[in-house]
Amino acid sequence: MKTCKELFASLDCTILGDENEEVTGLAYRSDAVRPGDAFFCIVGLQVDGHTFAQDAIDRGARVIVAERRLYLADATDVCVVIVSDTRQAMAKAACEFYDNPSRSFKLVGITGTNGKTTTTYLVEALARRAGYKTGVIGTVGVKIGDEFLPSSHTTPESPDLQRTLAQMRDAGVEVVAMEVSSHALDLERTYGCEFAVTAFTNLTQDHLDYHHTFEAYFEAKALLFSDLYPARRVVYVGDSWGQTLAKRVAQGGDELLTFAFAPEADIHPQSIEYTPSHTEAELDVVGSVFEVSYPLVGKFNVENVMCAFAIGRQLGIEDGTIVDALASVHAIPGRLQRVSLAEGKAPLAVFVDYAHTPDALVKALNSVRELTTGKLIVVFGCGGDRDSTKRPIMGRAALAADFAIVTNDNPRHEDPLAIIGDIVAGMEDEDKSESSARFEVIPDRREAIFTAINMAAPTDSVLIAGKGHEDYQIIGDVKAHFDDVEVARMALEEKESA
């Protein structure tokens, strides 16, 4: 519990009413307000929270935080705080309300289009091997030690984030690895967090429905490396975006480690051997060479491992401890996850991956291709109410497989067949008869997965892309249970018993 004065002491604001009003909670949705809460009038993309201020008061809010004066009924005893930016004020107030929990442990923030989830779990493994109690926040959910909690956002809204960080502090967590999305940075959800290390994995097409341009998308990611978030830095320099970011970081004088396949990077591979079950590599780490073996497959996981190695170093973890930890990491849910039956047996190789961007799909396909002696079959789709410009690009990317099945992902409120039509447009070249022979449209995702597995020979591989760890499918307003791994396992069992 904090007083209004304590909560907003560090903000430039005007308090209208009793500054000693006690605040018992923070809310940004009026329907979630409890008596004694401070309600923040967030100006969203579609809804202005100022219109819900009266509803919040009716539900018991004692403090209203707004960007303008409000004229409300029955609000004479309610404290109103006027700020220039309610999102930033909410983030800062959340830090104060929960006593700045990020100061109590080493917080690692990882941003980038692809690789964030895998890297957070790798960092968790390194920190655990070093003897730290760990926490993870990201797309798959929240982990506090061994306890797992679901999460609705990659990076939660600031009050939810600070509450989670406070739970971790109170549980004695010492290192937290957190995915930081571009939305979260742009919407100031992480404002006020204090990081020990921030890392950049890559930048490829995604979320342009929100950011509109690659430049704006990059600048949102780059905020994590600005003066707002001083920390030690880790940057992927295998593309022009990362190279630009690394130059900025170097000019700012921050401690920096870079990684990429190129020998100019601080961490880069000297040799790599891929197998269907693990990868062996020699990594040059700032001039010292380490032999690493880990049970993850694919070229893109080499990048994730290098990123985690660099983060481990920036955290002060010994190199030998990092190498030992990598050897025993567990498979990451929905990240090139091999689907197997009892005792690890299966009639063919089937992988489930979260790849839902063109670059991620290409990388996943290339990784599975390295492990396949026969044909490569891919099942994929695109989500509705999201960046539609990437759909034809995803279609073209899928033709890197020998055969593709286009299906539903999470169509949400869009016509599933219209989404599929956008994808197929990118797959059709001038010789339509040739391109159409390489793909098939099966809107029902379950049927698509069964079809792919049934048509595959023992030497073939099937990649089911787009949903990864998700155990649901959203069609309209209905969120129904659907798990790619479960469905693939059923198809494999049927194929084995046939």
Side-chain angles (χ1 to χ4, degrees):
M1 183 182 298
K2 302 282 184 180
T3 66
C4 210
K5 181 179 180 179
E6 292 171 332
L7 208 57
F8 299 101
S10 63
L11 286 172
D12 183 11
C13 64
T14 301
I15 299 177
L16 305 174
D18 183 6
E19 65 179 15
N20 293 314
E21 182 71 55
E22 291 186 337
V23 175
T24 57
L26 310 178
Y28 52 90
R29 289 176 56 99
S30 64
D31 59 1
V33 167
R34 294 174 296 183
D37 280 358
F39 174 71
F40 292 81
C41 300
I42 302 299
V43 181
L45 298 175
Q46 299 176 332
V47 178
D48 185 346
H50 291 77
T51 62
F52 296 94
Q54 185 64 61
D55 183 48
I57 293 170
D58 294 342
R59 293 172 183 268
R62 301 298 304 159
V63 175
I64 300 294
V65 186
E67 295 180 4
R68 58 180 184 267
R69 288 178 179 267
L70 300 171
Y71 299 94
L72 304 167
D74 303 323
T76 56
D77 61 342
V78 173
C79 185
V80 178
V81 182
I82 306 298
V83 298
S84 60
D85 182 340
T86 49
R87 277 200 170 276
Q88 188 177 104
M90 181 170 70
K92 192 62 177 174
C95 291
E96 294 294 338
F97 188 82
Y98 291 103
D99 297 318
N100 295 288
S102 62
R103 296 176 182 173
S104 301
F105 42 70
K106 295 180 179 180
L107 178 61
V108 177
I110 301 166
T111 195
T113 307
N114 304 311
K116 297 187 297 296
T117 300
T118 297
T119 305
T120 57
Y121 276 83
L122 290 173
V123 171
E124 178 199 32
L126 307 187
R128 282 198 170 203
R129 180 56 67 97
Y132 295 110
K133 185 171 183 178
T134 57
V136 176
I137 300 173
T139 307
V140 176
V142 172
K143 285 184 71 179
I144 303 176
D146 293 321
E147 181 184 6
F148 180 82
L149 304 170
S151 177
S152 58
H153 294 290
T154 297
T155 313
E157 283 285 2
S158 54
D160 306 319
L161 173 59
Q162 296 302 326
R163 182 176 63 251
T164 298
L165 293 176
Q167 287 178 291
M168 291 179 169
R169 174 197 59 206
D170 297 344
V173 167
E174 299 163 291
V175 173
V176 176
M178 178 170 71
E179 296 182 50
V180 183
S181 69
S182 58
H183 289 75
L185 289 162
D186 190 60
L187 296 174
E188 302 180 293
R189 293 175 187 168
T190 55
Y191 186 82
C193 285
E194 298 186 13
F195 292 90
V197 182
T198 65
F200 174 80
T201 61
N202 52 54
L203 193 83
T204 63
Q205 181 164 348
D206 201 12
H207 304 308
L208 295 190
D209 55 323
Y210 177 86
H211 296 287
H212 304 300
T213 67
F214 259 108
E215 289 72 19
Y217 183 31
F218 170 72
E219 292 300 339
K221 297 286 190 187
L223 285 172
L224 191 60
F225 301 82
S226 70
D227 292 341
L228 287 173
Y229 304 103
R232 295 182 176 184
R233 315 297 192 185
V234 171
V235 176
Y236 171 70
V237 290
D239 61 26
S240 60
W241 300 107
Q243 291 161 13
T244 298
L245 183 60
K247 288 178 182 178
R248 287 189 191 179
V249 169
Q251 290 169 356
D254 294 337
E255 187 172 336
L256 170 67
L257 280 177
T258 62
F259 69 97
F261 279 85
E264 294 80 14
D266 294 324
I267 300 180
H268 60 271
Q270 288 193 345
S271 65
I272 310 168
E273 182 180 346
Y274 301 104
T275 79
S277 60
H278 69 284
T279 302
E280 296 183 0
E282 288 187 344
L283 296 183
D284 185 314
V285 181
V286 198
S288 299
V289 178
F290 298 92
E291 294 184 0
V292 297
S293 178
Y294 53 89
L296 303 177
V297 299
K299 182 178 180 180
F300 64 89
N301 270 323
V302 178
E303 294 176 349
N304 295 331
V305 164
M306 290 191 292
C307 185
F309 206 123
I311 292 170
R313 270 210 159 195
Q314 295 288 50
L315 287 172
I317 299 174
E318 294 183 357
D319 294 328
T321 301
I322 295 173
V323 172
D324 290 343
L326 290 172
S328 57
V329 296
H330 299 292
I332 315 301
R335 271 57 181 179
L336 219 58
Q337 180 180 350
R338 179 78 178 265
V339 182
S340 60
L341 303 179
E343 299 178 358
K345 298 178 180 178
L348 72 148
V350 178
F351 298 89
V352 170
D353 193 80
Y354 190 52
H356 60 283
T357 68
D359 179 71
L361 183 58
V362 167
K363 287 180 176 179
L365 286 168
N366 289 342
S367 294
V368 177
R369 175 74 73 186
E370 291 273 355
L371 312 173
T372 305
T373 57
K375 293 181 178 180
L376 174 55
I377 303 166
V378 63
V379 178
F380 79 107
C382 288
D385 301 339
R386 298 293 187 270
D387 180 10
S388 61
T389 63
K390 74 178 182 182
R391 294 171 188 170
I393 306 172
M394 287 282 286
R396 289 193 290 273
L399 292 176
D402 296 296
F403 192 78
I405 297 178
V406 187
T407 189
N408 280 333
D409 191 285
N410 291 319
R412 298 184 177 87
H413 295 96
E414 286 195 64
D415 178 359
L417 295 182
I419 297 173
I420 289 173
D422 290 342
I423 296 170
V424 169
M427 305 176 81
E428 295 176 332
D429 54 24
E430 293 181 4
D431 184 357
K432 292 188 178 182
S433 61
E434 180 181 340
S435 63
S436 62
R438 296 187 53 207
F439 73 87
E440 180 179 359
V441 171
I442 303 177
D444 183 275
R445 193 172 182 92
R446 184 181 190 279
E447 181 183 349
I449 293 171
F450 267 75
T451 299
I453 290 174
N454 285 332
M455 71 165 56
T459 57
D460 296 343
S461 292
V462 175
L463 173 66
I464 305 168
K467 292 176 59 59
H469 65 282
E470 294 178 353
D471 60 358
Y472 57 84
Q473 189 171 32
I474 304 173
I475 301 175
D477 291 322
V478 177
K479 186 176 183 179
H481 179 77
F482 192 98
D483 188 321
D484 282 353
V485 174
E486 288 180 7
V487 175
R489 188 169 288 124
M490 286 188 287
L492 284 170
E493 289 172 349
E494 181 179 286
K495 187 179 183 74
E496 187 177 57
S497 61

